[in-house]
Structure formats: C-alpha cells, structure tokens
Amino acid sequence: MNHRILILTLSAVFCCAAAMSQEVRFIRIETTEPFTPVYQSEDGLETVQAKGLNTSSTGSKKWFRVAAEYATDAGWIDRLTLEYYILFPGETNAFKGTVHYADVPAGRGHLSEMYLHFNSYARHCKRGVIQYAVVALIDGRPAAVETNRRLPEGWWKTISTHPYGLLDRSDTPFAVFNAERFDAPCR
C-alpha cells in the first residue's frame, strides 16, 4: 500500500512539474546599430511602394536596436508582454520599453525588437558594455528573464528609468521588415 502512495505522490509531483514547465524561453538577445532605412522605388525616388521596394541606408544616423528571439511551449498564449531594460555605460537611468503581443502560437523563431531613436542613442551611448535585461510576462507574472548583467540580481527592478524610453518597432521605419517573424502587437 505504501508503495502505491509513493508512486501516486511521485506521479503528482511529475505532473505538476510538467504543468509548470517554462512557457517562454529566450533563444538569444542581440544588440545592433542599424542605420535609418530609406525606401526607394526602382527609379531611385525616396518613396514607399509595395511593388519593387528596395532599401538602402543613410550614411550617418544610427539607431540602437535590441532584439529578442524566443520560443513558446504553450499551445497559445493570449497575451505576452516583453519588457526591455537598457543601461548604457556611465548612465544611472535605464531605458525601458514594453511591448504586448496577442495570440502567440507555440513554437520557435518568434522575434521582438525595440529601438532607441538615433538622437537619444548619439547622446547617451558611450564606449563600453551595454547592459540589458529582457523580461517575459504572461498575465502579469514573470515567465522568463535574460540579462547580460548578473549582479546585482534583478538590477532592472531597482534602477530608475528615463522619462522617455525605447520604441516598439511599429513606431519606427523598421516596421515593414520581416513582418511574419513578429507576433501581433496589442496596446
């Protein structure tokens, strides 16, 4: 009889552990400095057209981009929130950005991006290591965290943030690229 109770107890523990498996996991976080894209038609006119769209870059204006590639295990996630925190060397306030996604299907290869406007980037970025934290929340509860600054633990929770923050990609000229890699944003 005790053997059966032990087996049932272990089965319940394993079932609970499986139910609490990680619903979101970060595959990689990447930071880059893309130039402002210019949309041109085939004859070189600066315009946005669906047919024959080519892109090029301007020569001097660099944005700051932070991108998170992630995977989800749940069948569907009704609402997924990603919070980004960026701390530039020598700064005491972090830049924060938040994006909400709806109807996120299970699978790999989801992509999310936030940007810092080129003027703010030119003003605040100094040489050195840029610290970041990306926090995934499902229904307001933390589901995953990725950071390149380990100490102090949870540093992004206690640091002050700039009054202006990171921009969601839909608020930038990068919004038209790779649309199918991004989940549906919701406000």
Side-chain angles (χ1 to χ4, degrees), residues 86-88 91-96 123-124 159-165:
I86 301 297
L87 182 62
F88 292 111
E91 292 285 316
T92 56
N93 294 332
F95 287 89
K96 180 182 179 185
R123 178 180 180 187
H124 294 281
I159 197 164
S160 298
T161 57
H162 279 278
Y164 47 94

Side-chain angles (χ1 to χ4, degrees), residues 81-126:
T81 300
L82 294 183
E83 293 179 345
Y84 291 81
Y85 299 86
I86 301 297
L87 182 62
F88 292 111
E91 292 285 316
T92 56
N93 294 332
F95 287 89
K96 180 182 179 185
T98 303
V99 61
H100 305 282
Y101 296 109
D103 298 329
V104 179
R108 294 180 56 87
H110 299 280
L111 190 60
S112 175
E113 296 175 337
M114 297 294 283
Y115 290 85
L116 185 63
H117 190 272
F118 51 81
N119 287 341
S120 298
Y121 186 49
R123 178 180 180 187
H124 294 281
C125 185
K126 319 292 188 286

Side-chain angles (χ1 to χ4, degrees), residues 5 17 24 38 51 57 59 69 73 83 88 91-92 94 109 119 136 147 153 165-166 168:
I5 293 173
V24 177
V38 175
K51 184 177 180 181
S57 300
E69 184 177 356
D73 293 334
E83 293 179 345
F88 292 111
E91 292 285 316
T92 56
N119 287 341
T147 182
E153 188 173 323
L166 300 172
D168 177 47

Side-chain angles (χ1 to χ4, degrees), residues 14-25 73-74 138 141 143:
F14 288 126
C15 288
C16 287
M20 293 188 312
S21 68
Q22 197 172 13
E23 297 170 280
V24 177
R25 66 187 176 287
D73 293 334
I138 298 175
R141 66 175 173 73

